[in-house]
CSV table of all heavy atoms in Angstrom, one decimal:
chain,number,residue,atom,x,y,z
Y,47,GLU,N,9.3,21.9,15.2
Y,47,GLU,CA,8.4,21.8,16.4
Y,47,GLU,C,7.7,23.1,16.6
Y,47,GLU,O,8.4,24.2,16.7
Y,47,GLU,CB,9.3,21.4,17.6
Y,47,GLU,CG,8.4,20.9,18.7
Y,47,GLU,CD,9.3,20.1,19.8
Y,47,GLU,OE1,10.3,20.7,20.2
Y,47,GLU,OE2,9.0,19.0,20.1
Y,70,ALA,N,2.1,8.2,31.0
Y,70,ALA,CA,3.5,8.8,30.9
Y,70,ALA,C,3.8,9.6,32.2
Y,70,ALA,O,4.9,10.2,32.3
Y,70,ALA,CB,3.5,9.7,29.7
Y,162,SER,N,-4.3,10.6,19.1
Y,162,SER,CA,-4.4,10.8,20.6
Y,162,SER,C,-3.1,11.1,21.3
Y,162,SER,O,-3.1,11.9,22.2
Y,162,SER,CB,-5.1,9.6,21.2
Y,162,SER,OG,-6.5,9.5,20.7
Y,163,THR,N,-2.0,10.4,20.9
Y,163,THR,CA,-0.7,10.7,21.5
Y,163,THR,C,-0.3,12.1,21.2
Y,163,THR,O,0.3,12.8,22.1
Y,163,THR,CB,0.3,9.6,21.1
Y,163,THR,OG1,-0.1,8.3,21.5
Y,163,THR,CG2,1.7,9.9,21.7
Y,164,ASP,N,-0.5,12.5,20.0
Y,164,ASP,CA,-0.2,13.9,19.7
Y,164,ASP,C,-1.0,14.9,20.6
Y,164,ASP,O,-0.5,15.9,21.0
Y,164,ASP,CB,-0.5,14.2,18.2
Y,164,ASP,CG,0.7,13.9,17.3
Y,164,ASP,OD1,1.8,14.3,17.6
Y,164,ASP,OD2,0.4,13.3,16.3
Y,175,TRP,N,5.2,18.2,16.6
Y,175,TRP,CA,6.2,18.1,15.5
Y,175,TRP,C,5.5,18.1,14.2
Y,175,TRP,O,4.5,17.4,14.1
Y,175,TRP,CB,7.2,16.9,15.7
Y,175,TRP,CG,6.6,15.6,15.6
Y,175,TRP,CD1,6.0,14.9,16.7
Y,175,TRP,CD2,6.5,14.7,14.5
Y,175,TRP,NE1,5.6,13.6,16.2
Y,175,TRP,CE2,5.8,13.5,14.9
Y,175,TRP,CE3,6.9,14.8,13.1
Y,175,TRP,CZ2,5.6,12.4,14.0
Y,175,TRP,CZ3,6.6,13.8,12.3
Y,175,TRP,CH2,6.0,12.6,12.7
Y,214,TYR,N,0.3,14.4,2.3
Y,214,TYR,CA,1.4,15.1,3.0
Y,214,TYR,C,1.5,16.6,2.6
Y,214,TYR,O,2.4,17.3,3.0
Y,214,TYR,CB,2.8,14.5,2.8
Y,214,TYR,CG,2.9,13.0,3.2
Y,214,TYR,CD1,3.5,12.1,2.3
Y,214,TYR,CD2,2.4,12.5,4.4
Y,214,TYR,CE1,3.6,10.8,2.6
Y,214,TYR,CE2,2.5,11.2,4.7
Y,214,TYR,CZ,3.1,10.3,3.8
Y,214,TYR,OH,3.2,9.0,4.0
Y,409,ARG,N,-18.9,2.3,6.7
Y,409,ARG,CA,-18.8,3.5,7.5
Y,409,ARG,C,-20.1,3.8,8.3
Y,409,ARG,O,-20.0,4.3,9.4
Y,409,ARG,CB,-18.5,4.7,6.5
Y,409,ARG,CG,-18.5,6.1,7.1
Y,409,ARG,CD,-17.2,6.4,7.9
Y,409,ARG,NE,-17.3,7.8,8.4
Y,409,ARG,CZ,-16.4,8.3,9.1
Y,409,ARG,NH1,-15.3,7.6,9.5
Y,409,ARG,NH2,-16.5,9.6,9.5
D,558,ASP,N,-11.5,3.0,9.0
D,558,ASP,CA,-12.8,2.4,9.3
D,558,ASP,C,-12.8,0.9,9.1
D,558,ASP,O,-13.5,0.2,9.8
D,558,ASP,CB,-13.9,3.0,8.4
D,558,ASP,CG,-14.4,4.3,9.0
D,558,ASP,OD1,-15.3,4.3,9.8
D,558,ASP,OD2,-13.9,5.4,8.6
D,567,ASN,N,-16.1,2.4,21.2
D,567,ASN,CA,-16.5,2.7,22.6
D,567,ASN,C,-15.8,1.9,23.6
D,567,ASN,O,-16.0,2.2,24.8
D,567,ASN,CB,-18.1,2.5,22.7
D,567,ASN,CG,-18.5,1.1,22.4
D,567,ASN,OD1,-17.7,0.2,22.1
D,567,ASN,ND2,-19.8,0.8,22.5
D,609,GLU,N,-6.3,6.7,16.6
D,609,GLU,CA,-5.0,6.1,16.9
D,609,GLU,C,-5.3,4.6,17.2
D,609,GLU,O,-4.4,3.8,17.3
D,609,GLU,CB,-4.4,6.8,18.1
D,609,GLU,CG,-2.9,6.6,18.3
D,609,GLU,CD,-2.3,7.6,19.2
D,609,GLU,OE1,-2.2,8.8,18.8
D,609,GLU,OE2,-2.0,7.2,20.4
D,628,PHE,N,1.7,6.0,3.1
D,628,PHE,CA,0.8,6.0,4.2
D,628,PHE,C,0.0,7.3,4.3
D,628,PHE,O,0.6,8.4,3.9
D,628,PHE,CB,1.6,5.8,5.5
D,628,PHE,CG,2.1,4.5,5.8
D,628,PHE,CD1,3.4,4.2,5.3
D,628,PHE,CD2,1.4,3.5,6.4
D,628,PHE,CE1,4.0,2.9,5.5
D,628,PHE,CE2,1.9,2.2,6.6
D,628,PHE,CZ,3.2,1.9,6.1
D,634,ARG,N,2.0,9.4,11.4
D,634,ARG,CA,2.5,10.0,12.6
D,634,ARG,C,2.0,9.2,13.8
D,634,ARG,O,2.7,9.1,14.8
D,634,ARG,CB,2.3,11.5,12.6
D,634,ARG,CG,0.8,11.9,12.8
D,634,ARG,CD,0.8,13.5,12.7
D,634,ARG,NE,1.4,14.1,13.9
D,634,ARG,CZ,2.2,15.1,13.8
D,634,ARG,NH1,2.5,15.7,12.7
D,634,ARG,NH2,2.7,15.7,14.9
D,638,ASN,N,4.3,7.8,16.7
D,638,ASN,CA,4.1,8.3,18.0
D,638,ASN,C,3.8,7.2,19.1
D,638,ASN,O,4.1,7.4,20.3
D,638,ASN,CB,2.9,9.3,18.1
D,638,ASN,CG,3.2,10.6,17.5
D,638,ASN,OD1,4.4,11.0,17.3
D,638,ASN,ND2,2.2,11.4,17.1
D,645,GLU,N,7.9,2.6,4.2
D,645,GLU,CA,7.4,3.0,2.9
D,645,GLU,C,8.3,2.5,1.8
D,645,GLU,O,9.4,2.9,1.8
D,645,GLU,CB,7.3,4.5,2.9
D,645,GLU,CG,6.0,5.1,2.2
D,645,GLU,CD,5.8,6.6,2.5
D,645,GLU,OE1,6.8,7.3,2.4
D,645,GLU,OE2,4.7,6.9,2.9
D,700,LYS,N,9.6,13.3,27.3
D,700,LYS,CA,10.0,13.3,28.7
D,700,LYS,C,11.6,13.2,28.8
D,700,LYS,O,12.2,13.8,29.7
D,700,LYS,CB,9.4,12.1,29.4
D,700,LYS,CG,7.9,12.3,29.7
D,700,LYS,CD,7.3,11.1,30.5
D,700,LYS,CE,7.8,11.2,32.0
D,700,LYS,NZ,7.2,10.1,32.7
D,702,ARG,N,13.6,14.4,26.8
D,702,ARG,CA,14.1,15.8,26.5
D,702,ARG,C,13.8,16.8,27.6
D,702,ARG,O,14.3,17.9,27.6
D,702,ARG,CB,13.5,16.3,25.2
D,702,ARG,CG,14.2,15.8,24.0
D,702,ARG,CD,13.5,16.3,22.7
D,702,ARG,NE,13.2,17.7,22.8
D,702,ARG,CZ,12.2,18.3,22.1
D,702,ARG,NH1,11.4,17.5,21.3
D,702,ARG,NH2,12.0,19.6,22.1
Side-chain angles (χ1 to χ4, degrees):
Chain Y
E47 199 162 51
S162 295
T163 296
D164 273 313
W175 65 273
Y214 306 131
R409 173 80 176 174
Chain D
D558 275 275
N567 60 0
E609 201 165 288
F628 290 91
R634 67 184 293 136
N638 285 344
E645 221 165 46
K700 285 184 76 178
R702 275 174 51 203

